[in-house]
């Protein structure tokens, strides 16, 4: 069979449902093979960055590999931002790109760049297919690496001359990734370390959600009875009302949670990715660390590991919860929880109908369910969402945090809706991020998807403006003009509305949530007060 027919068979064998991308001359054979597949739907998007971001969010929500496709040169380089975002936020993604034939790769040639070298810093593995007979081995390795902890992105480059070769091999068997647990001595050492502490504090990160270890962790913390704080991407692991929940941290300045860390004498850090917030920003007193994760701890002077449990988090907590872990109840002094709730505006009654980000988030939270997926773009509003919005279920708040790539929210909503068709999806984006990938509205409309886009419209890059004001007492290069977002939405054939007050916004939101076959764009005129 043709090499690309074999490649598609291998992708089907891996359980791929969707491939997001844009075709080109160098991927014609692959597109021809995909057209014959009854298992894989190719979703042609409007920009390759959107394809990679769709694959990123799809991978996060399904724990399966998201797949994206581009041709060589500019098509491939357009994937780079989304692939970098997936890799740093540990989403399993495989990118496939076309490439010039071998005879063109030794000299200057039309659209030729060494894509493998370009993507090496942004992926777990990059590879060029040099022989069609190796396709099954390469695809199996790529998917395995993408899913292995910590998950990330892999790039496969397919030269045009290889695509049409005859291949005689078959897809390889897909085997589960082996799981491991720490030795009994490490568990005993961990119990001793906890027993010697007076004020342990549990810090939970995104790895707990990736491993689906929420239940085991919850049993552990309820036995321990010590405070728990979340990284930005781990929100929802403990419910808002849980007595041990002291919310989120990682905001550097104005981080009201940091005094809790300072009061602790042991930090039990579970599934935490350094990319979310470096230890130097939150462990200034260098408290001892009990590291619980799928991989050994990174070396850092502000992360002094005194105990280490490495392996499958579900297995670790099953073993820990069978031990006689001593209860260590304590309450941070200074009425900190109420101070955090006031500062973050959690459970604060809405006093007026003004369109502030906190008021908007309060309304959204009041109208969401455990199924609701909220996707935040990057900007000043991301920090407000990370502080104020309380997700009702772990893994249902999607934020680009490691790479913090603006423009993720709209294409990410497409990936989210395809991953979870029955879940309401709310995309919250600034006007800067919205226009980066606004063309994907056509993709969403063509696919018949239903979700809500909330555009926080203030005609400025507010976060950058705030930083410049703080550093220089003025700002430059942060302001821009905008189109009429309602008319723009309507030009794509979707509903656009512009509420003037908070009560009007809430009614619009409720109406939009009731729709199962319509995209609604809500233009929130924020002035410059966001």
């Amino acid at each position: 069979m043709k090499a690309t027919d074999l490649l598609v068979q291998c992708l089907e064998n891996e359980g791929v449902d969707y491939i997001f991308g844009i075709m080109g001359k160098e991927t014609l054979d692959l597109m021809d093979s995909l057209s014959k597949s009854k298992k894989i739907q190719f979703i042609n998007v409007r920009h390759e960055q959107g394809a990679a971001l769709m694959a990123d969010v799809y991978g996060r929500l399904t724990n399966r590999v998201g797949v994206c496709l581009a041709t060589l040169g500019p098509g491939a380089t357009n994937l780079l931002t989304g692939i970098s975002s997936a890799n740093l936020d540990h989403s399993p993604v495989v990118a496939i790109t076309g490439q010039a034939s071998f005879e063109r790769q030794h000299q200057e040639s039309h659209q030729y760049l060494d894509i493998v070298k370009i993507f090496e810093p942004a992926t777990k593995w990059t590879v060029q297919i040099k022989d069609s007979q190796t396709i099954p081995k390469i695809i199996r390795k790529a998917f395995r690496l993408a899913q292995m902890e910590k998950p990330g992105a892999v790039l496969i480059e397919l030269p045009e001359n290889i695509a049409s070769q005859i291949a005689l091999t078959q897809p390889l068997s897909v085997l589960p990734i082996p799981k491991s647990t720490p030795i009994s001595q490490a568990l005993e050492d961990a119990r001793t370390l906890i027993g010697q502490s007076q004020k342990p504090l549990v810090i939970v990160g995104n790895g707990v959600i990736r491993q689906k270890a929420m239940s085991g962790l919850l049993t552990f913390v309820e036995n321990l009875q010590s405070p728990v704080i979340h990284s930005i991407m781990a929100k929802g692991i403990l419910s808002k009302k849980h007595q041990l929940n002291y919310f989120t941290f990682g905001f550097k300045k104005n981080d009201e949670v940091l005094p809790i860390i300072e009061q602790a004498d042991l930090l039990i850090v579970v599934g935490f990715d350094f990319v979310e917030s470096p230890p130097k920003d939150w462990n200034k007193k260098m408290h001892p660390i009990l590291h619980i994760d799928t991989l050994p701890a990174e070396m850092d002077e502000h992360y002094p590991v005194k105990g280490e449990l490495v392996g499958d988090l579900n297995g670790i907590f099953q073993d820990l919860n069978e031990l006689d872990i001593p209860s260590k109840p304590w309450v941070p002094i200074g009425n900190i929880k109420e101070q955090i709730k006031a500062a973050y505006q959690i459970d604060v009654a809405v006093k007026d109908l003004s369109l502030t980000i906190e008021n908007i988030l309060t309304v959204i939270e009041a109208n969401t369910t455990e199924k609701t997926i909220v996707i935040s773009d990057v900007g000043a509003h991301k920090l407000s969402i990370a502080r104020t919005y309380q997700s009702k279920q772990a893994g249902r708040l999607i934020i680009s945090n490691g790479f913090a790539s603006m423009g993720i929210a709209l294409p990410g909503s497409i990936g989210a809706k395809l991953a979870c068709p029955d879940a309401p999806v709310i995309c919250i984006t600034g006007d800067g991020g919205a226009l980066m990938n606004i063309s994907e509205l056509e993709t969403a409309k063509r696919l018949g998807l239903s979700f809500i886009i909330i555009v926080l419209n203030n005609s400025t890059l507010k976060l950058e403006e705030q930083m410049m004001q703080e550093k220089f007492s003025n700002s430059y290069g942060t302001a821009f003009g905008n189109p009429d977002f309602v008319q723009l939405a309507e030009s794509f054939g979707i509903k656009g509305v512009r509420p003037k007050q908070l009560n009007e916004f809430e009614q619009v939101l409720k109406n939009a949530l009731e729709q199962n076959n319509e995209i609604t764009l809500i233009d929130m005129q924020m002035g410059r007060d966001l």
Side-chain angles (χ1 to χ4, degrees):
M1 71 180 73
K2 188 167 66 170
T4 52
D5 290 338
L6 174 60
L7 195 153
V8 170
Q9 279 191 13
C10 290
L11 295 176
E12 292 175 339
N13 186 57
E14 297 289 342
V16 175
D17 291 322
Y18 301 103
I19 296 179
F20 308 95
I22 297 180
M23 64 178 293
K25 173 180 174 293
E26 285 71 20
T27 59
L28 291 179
D29 280 289
L30 180 53
M31 293 304 301
D32 177 61
S33 298
L34 276 173
S35 71
K36 303 168 189 173
S37 175
K38 296 181 180 179
K39 298 180 179 179
I40 300 174
Q41 179 181 353
F42 178 73
I43 296 177
N44 51 316
V45 304
R46 305 313 299 256
H47 194 283
E48 291 88 352
Q49 183 185 113
L53 294 170
M54 291 174 202
D56 172 357
V57 175
Y58 180 87
R60 287 197 220 187
L61 286 168
T62 61
N63 270 22
R64 298 164 59 193
V65 176
V67 182
C68 54
L69 171 71
T71 189
L72 82 173
T77 56
N78 282 345
L79 289 175
L80 189 57
T81 294
I83 292 302
S84 301
S85 179
N87 203 51
L88 282 183
D89 279 336
H90 301 301
S91 300
V93 169
V94 167
I96 302 171
T97 69
Q99 184 54 285
S101 298
F102 288 162
E103 70 272 12
R104 290 174 50 199
Q105 294 182 21
H106 68 286
Q107 63 186 23
E108 184 176 79
S109 184
H110 179 66
Q111 290 192 314
Y112 173 71
L113 285 171
D114 191 333
I115 296 301
V116 168
K117 283 186 178 179
I118 290 172
F119 276 77
E120 279 178 355
T123 57
K124 296 179 73 175
W125 185 49
T126 60
V127 62
Q128 181 187 77
I129 299 175
K130 294 181 170 66
D131 182 344
S132 62
Q133 311 307 317
T134 65
I135 287 174
K137 290 185 286 188
I138 287 174
I139 294 295
R140 183 78 281 269
K141 180 177 178 179
F143 276 72
R144 191 174 177 87
L145 281 176
Q147 290 181 298
M148 284 174 61
E149 281 286 336
K150 295 181 177 181
V154 171
L155 178 118
I156 301 170
E157 184 184 72
L158 177 65
E160 188 177 13
N161 61 300
I162 297 293
S164 57
Q165 281 185 355
I166 298 301
L168 303 176
T169 50
Q170 298 293 322
L172 299 180
S173 298
V174 177
L175 300 175
I177 297 171
K179 297 179 180 179
S180 62
T181 54
I183 60 173
S184 58
Q185 186 59 53
L187 292 161
E188 289 294 335
D189 292 345
R191 179 170 66 172
T192 299
L193 189 60
I194 295 171
Q196 292 171 346
S197 68
Q198 298 302 314
K199 295 181 177 181
L201 170 68
V202 181
I203 298 175
V204 297
N206 191 33
V208 176
I209 296 175
R210 288 197 303 268
Q211 290 265 300
K212 299 188 183 302
M214 291 79 74
S215 177
L217 172 71
L218 186 60
T219 300
F220 173 76
V221 300
E222 289 183 345
N223 290 337
L224 188 65
Q225 285 296 302
S226 295
V228 178
I229 58 176
H230 303 72
S231 71
I232 292 173
M233 294 176 66
K235 296 184 75 169
I237 291 178
L238 264 67
S239 70
K240 180 174 68 171
K241 300 296 185 182
H242 198 290
Q243 63 176 356
L244 299 176
N245 186 358
Y246 282 77
F247 308 107
T248 49
F249 79 107
F251 311 102
K252 297 184 181 179
K253 295 184 179 180
N254 302 320
D255 197 335
E256 288 77 10
V257 176
L258 293 183
I260 305 176
I261 298 178
E262 293 177 357
Q263 292 178 37
D265 60 7
L266 173 67
L267 305 182
I268 304 174
V269 184
V270 187
F272 182 79
D273 304 323
F274 276 20
V275 73
E276 290 206 65
S277 182
K280 69 180 179 62
D281 289 339
W282 46 268
N283 193 17
K284 297 182 186 297
K285 291 189 175 182
M286 301 188 191
H287 291 310
I289 302 287
L290 172 56
H291 174 83
I292 304 177
D293 204 356
T294 53
L295 295 179
E298 289 193 50
M299 297 299 101
D300 189 293
E301 63 271 23
H302 288 274
Y303 198 77
V305 175
K306 301 301 180 184
E308 201 164 14
L309 299 177
V310 177
D312 172 65
L313 294 185
N314 284 289
I316 289 173
F317 283 116
Q318 181 177 342
D319 291 342
L320 273 180
N321 293 333
E322 291 176 356
L323 297 177
D324 185 21
I325 299 294
S327 179
K328 295 287 179 174
W330 67 282
V331 178
I333 61 174
N335 200 27
I336 286 181
K337 177 173 277 194
E338 295 307 314
Q339 292 178 22
I340 294 168
K341 291 175 73 172
Y344 287 15
Q345 298 196 37
I346 298 170
D347 288 339
V348 174
V350 174
K351 297 178 181 179
D352 56 50
L353 298 178
S354 60
L355 296 178
T356 65
I357 180 61
E358 287 78 16
N359 281 352
I360 290 169
L361 292 173
T362 298
V363 168
I364 292 172
E365 186 179 327
N367 288 277
T368 56
T369 68
E370 288 189 350
K371 281 188 173 184
T372 305
I373 298 167
V374 171
I375 301 182
S376 170
D377 218 307
V378 175
H381 63 277
K382 182 183 102 168
L383 300 181
S384 296
I385 291 170
R387 286 160 64 95
T388 302
Y389 178 76
Q390 301 302 305
S391 179
K392 296 180 175 69
Q393 183 176 329
R396 294 280 162 157
L397 175 62
I398 303 294
I399 294 177
S400 177
N401 198 39
F403 204 55
S405 47
M406 285 181 68
I408 187 175
L410 180 48
S413 297
I414 295 174
K417 199 64 185 179
L418 292 172
C420 306
D422 297 329
V425 174
I426 301 175
C427 156
I428 306 176
T429 178
D431 42 8
L435 286 177
M436 287 186 173
N437 283 305
I438 198 72
S439 58
E440 300 304 344
L441 280 178
E442 188 279 326
T443 307
K445 177 68 176 178
R446 174 172 18 103
L447 293 172
L449 302 181
S450 171
F451 56 88
I452 298 167
I453 305 162
I454 299 172
V455 179
L456 306 173
N457 187 348
N458 61 3
S459 299
T460 186
L461 298 173
K462 189 63 180 180
L463 184 60
E464 287 71 17
E465 181 182 77
Q466 290 170 347
M467 291 188 292
M468 287 200 74
Q469 287 286 353
E470 182 178 332
K471 190 170 185 177
F472 304 111
S473 299
N474 59 49
S475 63
Y476 177 77
T478 59
F480 44 73
N482 277 323
D484 184 316
F485 279 102
V486 171
Q487 290 188 21
L488 182 60
E490 291 171 351
S491 73
F492 281 98
I494 70 173
K495 184 177 181 180
V497 290
R498 185 178 295 117
K500 300 293 179 61
Q501 289 187 317
L502 194 65
N503 56 349
E504 187 181 347
F505 164 68
E506 182 163 25
Q507 189 57 54
V508 168
L509 180 67
K510 288 179 176 179
N511 292 341
L513 287 168
E514 292 174 356
Q515 300 300 318
N516 296 319
N517 57 358
E518 185 177 71
I519 301 169
T520 301
L521 185 149
I522 307 174
D523 178 13
M524 305 297 290
Q525 297 284 321
M526 308 293 292
R528 298 177 67 85
D529 298 326
L530 174 61

